Amino acid sequence: MTFEEYSEGDYPHLIFKDISSRKEYDFRFLNDNYLNGMAILLADSESSFGFKANPKYLHRTFIVETRKKSVLDSDLDGNTIKSKEWVITSIKLK
């Protein structure tokens, strides 16, 4: 996968793209992703969620292992719900 971008809106968007299928994955539950200590995101006091993309890793290729995990989310009315989302379980530079 390639690290495509980090952006913010109603939640943080950590976007990776699968090299073969070109499908994009939005790993938006930052605390549920295990990045093996890699500083893919840097602290940024001016951003809404406190992060920005590390330019060193943008558009770089990674070996990314993922799984679906139960996470706490919010529905359109702001109620807390459980949902299954893709999260990163391991990542390393290719």
Side-chain angles (χ1 to χ4, degrees):
M1 290 186 161
T2 57
F3 174 40
E4 294 298 309
E5 71 175 289
Y6 172 77
S7 61
E8 297 177 338
D10 53 343
Y11 56 85
H13 301 271
L14 184 60
I15 307 293
F16 281 78
K17 186 182 284 186
D18 185 280
I19 294 170
S20 15
S21 70
R22 307 303 293 160
K23 179 180 177 180
E24 285 192 350
Y25 290 86
D26 184 353
F27 299 104
R28 65 185 180 114
F29 293 90
L30 298 183
N31 292 333
D32 291 294
N33 291 294
Y34 183 71
L35 303 176
N36 295 12
M38 296 185 75
I40 290 172
L41 299 178
L42 301 174
D44 182 7
S45 61
E46 295 182 17
S47 79
S48 300
F49 292 95
F51 298 102
K52 66 180 179 181
N54 185 342
K56 172 181 172 181
Y57 294 118
L58 278 172
H59 308 293
R60 299 277 308 269
T61 302
F62 293 86
I63 297 170
V64 180
E65 294 178 22
T66 63
R67 72 176 174 95
K68 283 239 175 166
K69 178 182 177 182
S70 291
V71 295
L72 294 178
D73 200 356
S74 297
D75 65 14
L76 295 175
D77 296 321
N79 300 313
T80 300
I81 59 171
K82 282 187 179 179
S83 67
K84 287 259 190 192
E85 300 288 337
W86 287 106
V87 296
I88 297 171
T89 58
S90 179
I91 188 170
K92 64 182 177 180
L93 281 169
K94 186 169 181 178

